[in-house]
Amino acid sequence: MPVNLTPNAIAAIESGDVNAKPLVQVLDIKLIGSTQERYRLLLSDSVSTQHAMLATQLNDRVKSGRVTKGSVVQLIDYICSPVQNRKIIVVLNMETIIPDCEIIGNPKSLAESGSAAQTPFPNKNLEHPTRAGGNHFGAQNPGKNVQSFPPTVQPPYQPPPNYRNHGPILKNDAPARIIPIAALNPYQGRWAIKARVTAKGDLRRYNNARGDGKVFSFDLLDSDGGEIRVTCFNAVVDRFYDAIEVSKVYLISKGSLKPAQKNYNHLKNEWEIFLETSSTVELCPEEDDSIPKQQFSFRPISEIESADNNSILDIIGVVISVNPSVPILRKNGMETQRRILNLKDGSGRSVELTLWGEFCNREGQKLEEMINSGSFPVLAVKSGKVNDFSGKSIGTISSTQLFINPDLPEASGLRNWFDRGGKNAASVSISREIMPGGSKNEIRKTVSQIKDEGLGRSDKPDWITVKATISFIKTDNFCYTACPLMIGDRQCNKKVTKSRNTRWLCDRCNQEFEECDYRYLLQAQIQDHSGLTWVTAFQETGEEILGCSAKELYLLKYEEQDDEKFGGIIRSRLFSQYLFRLKIKEELYGDEQRVKITVVKADSVSYSSESRYTLDLISKFTK
């Protein structure tokens, strides 16, 4: 049965119409885009055809089969944009009227059909639709064997005025029309978007062949669900860094669009906005409730098992354990903080979440206090990074956001599940091999397993926990004299020597000073029932073991020369039992490869926790 499409719809859209909501037919669908899936459609009004780009939020319409070749659809939100000297219709929202239909008319491209000369949307003989039962539209003239599917009635389309022979055209200073983020492309001239800031990155400084510079980025979300990242460099940073606030709504225009760098930009948009000195950013004083505060796409923890390494995703779960924050030395020599916690959800799985840097002291400290008080908060993670080392885990990155007990339907459902039995429901960790009842997030080994299993000989270090006793501590060279000067936000800590005038000299800083610092370089022998090994403890862990600073012990031995008191401190630590958190890595010494074992944490043994660990271990092997 024939179907009436909206006459001259293609010509009208190309002429600037955005309100008519016409009926058109999909003649072809093609998947394009290497970094992001985009669908290109060929639309027809039965006479003319035109290519259209489907907004990414509508991709599921094609994937689910709701829109196929032959479908008759009604365009709800759309815009026509110039792309490489030709026009493309960007479809932001549409409804499927007939899922499958024969090709209507004999459509040709707009240039071939000559429809540019036709009058778009004739005003005469418009038939008003009436519902004819079910989901069908009935034509007013039942005598004709034609089923009509006119769109929602709109005021007659008014073509743009003709400016020919009206003299010179002055520069258009009118404000740019606000368009959805999904409609942005690099070939547009004037545009403006209204969006909420959902995330703001730190101000970063860099140095390259062009010299020093600074940069920061922020993410935007509009009322249509479109997201895009905005980046500012150097002088533009000075203009906008203090003005941008998370959760505020802004009107932004006059920026350039460039391909998004997917190594750093995880948003579902193939473009990124770069603001310039001519760009404008205006705060919208009134709150716009049509723009959501944040947009999540939560994945169950069970699905993380099959997620690609380094992929970015959102998860939500109940926090069931939080580790203390520990210092970690990065490859660039900078020290940072790391904190590990565990999340579980109703999928029967739990996952390890690693917090880095300031996350440890902000949200991490608050979560630890909540866990210690007996509550189990719900945590939503926006933009966590998947790591597949020793199982699957999630880590924070600079653009990650953490929301504790968020006001979300998913959080309420998770809380009800946990309180009604989910707390005691069995869950399998998809991260490291964790033994219930032991210290949180530990991989327990014996001393002999370090050698027997060849730990530390892979590309990455091994991290294990050993319960062992200190059997010997070297007392010569137990510490070294260190540089106290600050380099940036961290202490130099390089070894210093006495100069000729008895002042301390640092070769790295090339400076002299009256007093130096003293840092532990403690070598000790630890043993358990399976064997013994040598370990090295640096500053913080040396203080945990000996209970005093390196400077105090140095002055006691070399300045006061109180050997009895010095020896008493050392002997008091012998045959004391600790839970040692060890980092094991093979390193090159001269021409020889040696396995280095470093103590990153030394905790006194909690016998109640150890008892639970032992009982769980027994129950595991008796099942």
Side-chain angles (χ1 to χ4, degrees):
M1 183 179 293
V3 178
N4 285 342
L5 302 179
T6 303
N8 304 325
I10 300 299
I13 295 173
E14 283 217 0
S15 299
D17 164 68
V18 292
N19 298 313
K21 300 184 179 181
L23 285 185
V24 294
Q25 186 175 27
V26 179
L27 300 186
D28 190 29
I29 301 176
K30 185 176 181 181
L31 178 64
I32 62 173
S34 56
T35 59
Q36 183 182 15
E37 285 188 349
R38 298 293 296 267
Y39 286 98
R40 187 175 67 192
L41 312 180
L42 184 62
L43 301 182
S44 164
D45 61 7
S46 77
V47 175
S48 305
T49 63
Q50 180 60 284
H51 282 109
M53 195 71 70
L54 197 64
T56 54
Q57 64 263 28
L58 301 180
N59 284 357
D60 64 303
R61 307 282 183 93
V62 176
K63 294 179 180 179
S64 63
R66 293 164 60 188
V67 175
T68 61
K69 293 180 182 180
S71 294
V72 175
V73 299
Q74 182 177 17
L75 304 183
I76 306 298
D77 292 321
Y78 52 92
I79 188 171
C80 191
S81 299
V83 178
Q84 295 178 346
N85 299 321
R86 61 193 180 100
K87 291 186 176 181
I88 291 287
I89 301 171
V90 180
V91 181
L92 306 171
N93 193 13
M94 65 180 180
E95 293 296 335
T96 302
I97 305 301
I98 302 178
D100 191 16
C101 183
E102 296 292 332
I103 301 300
I104 301 171
N106 185 26
K108 299 179 181 179
S109 67
L110 188 61
E112 295 177 7
S113 64
S115 59
Q118 299 174 4
T119 301
F121 296 139
N123 297 337
K124 299 179 179 180
N125 301 325
L126 273 178
E127 295 182 358
H128 290 254
T130 56
R131 289 283 180 180
N135 293 324
H136 299 285
F137 292 85
Q140 281 191 337
N141 186 358
K144 295 181 180 180
N145 190 21
V146 175
Q147 191 174 6
S148 179
F149 290 85
T152 305
V153 176
Q154 298 288 332
Y157 173 74
Q158 299 296 328
N162 188 350
Y163 291 104
R164 286 183 294 178
N165 302 324
H166 285 201
I169 303 296
L170 297 177
K171 180 180 178 181
N172 184 4
D173 291 325
R177 185 165 59 91
I178 297 175
I179 65 174
I181 287 176
L184 287 173
N185 66 69
Y187 312 103
Q188 289 165 317
R190 302 173 66 249
W191 55 263
I193 56 173
K194 184 180 182 181
R196 188 185 305 278
V197 176
T198 57
K200 178 182 177 181
D202 296 330
L203 178 61
R204 294 181 289 111
R205 300 185 183 275
Y206 62 88
N207 180 274
N208 56 26
R210 299 179 182 178
D212 296 333
K214 52 188 175 182
V215 60
F216 91 100
S217 300
F218 56 95
D219 297 342
L220 295 176
L221 172 67
D222 69 6
S223 58
D224 294 301
E227 292 183 286
I228 196 167
R229 175 158 297 174
V230 182
T231 301
C232 306
F233 286 93
N234 300 324
V236 184
V237 172
D238 298 331
R239 286 189 60 195
F240 298 127
Y241 182 77
D242 293 331
I244 297 298
E245 296 182 41
V246 175
S247 79
K248 294 293 182 64
V249 177
Y250 296 86
L251 194 65
I252 299 176
S253 62
K254 298 181 182 178
S256 61
L257 276 86
K258 298 180 181 179
Q261 300 182 45
K262 287 305 178 181
N263 290 340
Y264 310 101
N265 186 346
H266 60 277
L267 299 181
K268 295 179 180 179
N269 198 316
E270 60 184 302
W271 306 112
E272 184 172 336
I273 297 175
F274 287 80
L275 294 186
E276 302 163 344
T277 53
S278 60
S279 300
T280 61
V281 177
E282 299 177 15
L283 175 65
C284 298
E286 296 183 2
E287 175 62 27
D288 190 338
D289 293 332
S290 68
I291 306 177
K293 300 287 185 183
Q294 188 58 264
Q295 184 168 264
F296 295 95
S297 181
F298 291 124
R299 299 272 295 274
I301 293 177
S302 59
E303 290 187 8
I304 301 175
E305 286 185 282
S306 57
D308 294 334
N309 187 38
N310 296 326
S311 58
I312 306 297
L313 45 76
D314 304 339
I315 64 168
I316 187 169
V318 180
V319 181
I320 56 176
S321 67
V322 179
N323 260 12
S325 182
V326 296
I328 297 294
L329 197 64
R330 293 187 180 274
K331 291 181 179 179
N332 60 5
M334 301 293 288
E335 188 177 89
T336 188
Q337 295 291 315
R338 184 188 67 183
R339 187 191 290 270
I340 297 174
L341 51 88
N342 264 308
L343 300 177
K344 72 182 295 188
D345 65 5
S347 66
R349 297 289 188 270
S350 64
V351 67
E352 188 178 278
L353 173 65
T354 303
L355 309 184
W356 294 96
E358 284 301 313
F359 288 109
C360 298
N361 299 323
R362 294 197 310 259
E363 294 86 350
Q365 184 62 37
K366 184 177 180 180
L367 289 169
E368 184 177 20
E369 293 171 358
M370 296 175 77
I371 288 291
N372 291 339
S373 67
S375 64
F376 296 89
V378 174
L379 181 66
V381 181
K382 173 72 175 177
S383 304
K385 185 177 181 179
V386 176
N387 189 307
D388 64 359
F389 175 67
S390 187
K392 288 292 178 66
S393 62
I394 302 293
T396 60
I397 54 178
S398 60
S399 57
T400 298
Q401 291 178 279
L402 304 179
F403 301 88
I404 301 174
N405 290 327
D407 185 16
L408 298 171
E410 295 89 345
S412 299
L414 202 56
R415 169 57 58 200
N416 291 334
W417 165 80
F418 189 81
D419 292 341
R420 295 180 180 180
K423 177 180 180 180
N424 301 316
S427 64
V428 178
S429 173
I430 65 171
S431 302
R432 309 181 183 194
E433 182 182 346
I434 302 170
M435 178 59 66
S439 298
K440 304 177 184 70
N441 297 332
E442 68 182 11
I443 301 176
R444 282 291 187 99
K445 299 289 184 182
T446 63
V447 170
S448 63
Q449 284 179 299
I450 296 174
K451 182 178 180 180
D452 295 343
E453 297 181 8
L455 299 182
R457 297 189 181 278
S458 59
D459 293 335
K460 295 182 179 180
D462 287 306
W463 302 81
I464 67 169
T465 299
V466 172
K467 185 176 75 170
T469 301
I470 298 176
S471 58
F472 184 77
I473 297 176
K474 282 188 176 182
T475 56
D476 53 337
N477 301 323
F478 63 89
C479 70
Y480 70 96
T481 50
C483 176
L485 301 181
M486 299 298 293
I487 300 178
D489 59 352
R490 68 180 294 269
Q491 191 172 324
C492 172
N493 288 334
K494 287 294 183 180
K495 185 175 181 178
V496 296
T497 55
K498 279 283 187 73
S499 60
R500 293 180 180 178
N501 58 3
T502 71
R503 291 165 62 87
W504 296 100
L505 172 66
C506 176
D507 292 332
R508 178 185 185 182
C509 300
N510 196 26
Q511 292 191 44
E512 294 184 353
F513 32 85
E514 292 290 342
E515 294 188 5
C516 67
D517 199 1
Y518 297 86
R519 297 184 65 84
Y520 276 119
L521 186 59
L522 197 64
Q523 291 183 301
Q525 196 176 67
I526 64 172
Q527 66 179 54
D528 63 5
H529 64 281
S530 66
L532 55 85
T533 190
W534 284 97
V535 297
T536 301
F538 292 97
Q539 182 70 352
E540 289 77 11
T541 49
E543 291 177 353
E544 290 173 352
I545 293 171
L546 293 176
C548 62
S549 68
K551 184 176 182 179
E552 290 176 298
L553 208 59
Y554 179 89
L555 295 177
L556 192 63
K557 180 177 182 180
Y558 295 104
E559 298 291 335
E560 301 176 18
Q561 296 184 355
D562 191 340
D563 293 338
E564 183 177 349
K565 189 173 181 179
F566 175 84
I569 293 175
I570 299 298
R571 287 192 297 271
S572 67
R573 296 303 186 264
L574 296 180
F575 306 108
S576 297
Q577 201 171 51
Y578 293 88
L579 278 177
F580 293 104
R581 178 82 163 164
L582 303 179
K583 174 188 175 184
I584 308 172
K585 185 72 176 73
E586 189 175 52
E587 297 182 357
L588 186 63
Y589 291 87
D591 297 329
E592 182 182 358
Q593 290 279 0
R594 297 182 188 175
V595 174
K596 182 179 180 181
I597 305 175
T598 304
V599 181
V600 295
K601 189 73 176 171
D603 291 319
S604 299
V605 175
S606 168
Y607 293 103
S608 60
S609 297
E610 281 303 296
S611 297
R612 287 195 299 270
Y613 172 82
T614 305
L615 289 172
D616 287 328
L617 192 64
I618 293 171
S619 63
K620 178 182 178 182
F621 288 104
T622 55
K623 287 181 180 179

